[in-house]
Amino acid sequence: MPRKLAFLLLLVLAVVAAAQDKARSSAEDKSMILALENAWNQAELHHDAAAADAILADTFISVDHHGQLQNKSQYMAGLKDTSFNPEQISNTETSVYIYGNTAVVTSAYRTKGTDNGKPFVHHGRFTDTWINLNGKWECVADQETLTSK
C-alpha cells in the first residue's frame, strides 16, 4: 500500500475513533447532569442545603418563577425555609445540550406541596446552565417560568 494511502487511512481511523470517544463522553456527561438535576430535586424536597451546595457554583444565580433574581446565599435561605414545603417534584421533557465544558438543560416540571400551609401545584419550565470546572459539573444559572397546565 502506498505511504500516502496508508497515512490517509490511519488519519481517517483516528478521526473516527476520536468522534466515538467524544460521543461516549457526551453521553456520560448528559447522564451525570441528569443525575445532578434529580439530586437537586431531592435536595429541595428535603431542604438539604449541603446537597444543594455541592451542586451549585459559588457564583450561582437564579430567576425564580416569580421573576425574582437570587444569588446562591439567597437561594439557599429559601431552600432552608420549611414554610415552603414541596412534597413532589417531577421533571418531564428534559433535554441536555452539551457545548464543550458547558451544558444547558431544558425541562418541564411539576411541583406539588404546601406554601405557608396552603396547598399548591406549580407547572412550569426551566433552563439550567452547567459548567464543568476541573472535572466537576456545577450549575451556574437557573431560570424558571410558570406555565398553565
Side-chain angles (χ1 to χ4, degrees), residues 46-113:
H46 301 288
H47 303 279
D48 188 344
D53 184 56
I55 293 169
L56 305 177
D58 290 340
T59 57
F60 174 77
I61 56 169
S62 175
V63 178
D64 71 11
H65 61 268
H66 298 293
Q68 181 179 355
L69 179 65
Q70 300 175 321
N71 63 28
K72 184 176 180 178
S73 63
Q74 293 166 325
Y75 173 84
M76 297 297 278
L79 178 82
K80 295 174 190 176
D81 179 6
T82 57
S83 67
F84 182 80
N85 189 32
E87 297 164 4
Q88 296 176 342
I89 302 173
S90 58
N91 298 343
T92 58
E93 303 173 35
T94 305
S95 297
V96 180
Y97 306 92
I98 305 283
Y99 305 97
N101 70 340
T102 304
V104 176
V105 177
T106 61
S107 187
Y109 72 89
R110 178 182 181 272
T111 304
K112 178 181 177 183

Side-chain angles (χ1 to χ4, degrees), residues 92-93 106-109 123-127 143-147:
T92 58
E93 303 173 35
T106 61
S107 187
Y109 72 89
H123 295 270
R125 292 201 171 272
F126 69 82
T127 302
Q143 186 278 322
E144 298 179 27
T145 303
L146 289 179
T147 61

Side-chain angles (χ1 to χ4, degrees), residues 111-134:
T111 304
K112 178 181 177 183
T114 57
D115 189 359
N116 289 312
K118 296 180 182 178
F120 73 87
V121 177
H122 293 163
H123 295 270
R125 292 201 171 272
F126 69 82
T127 302
D128 291 342
T129 304
W130 295 81
I131 301 291
N132 189 325
L133 296 171
N134 302 316

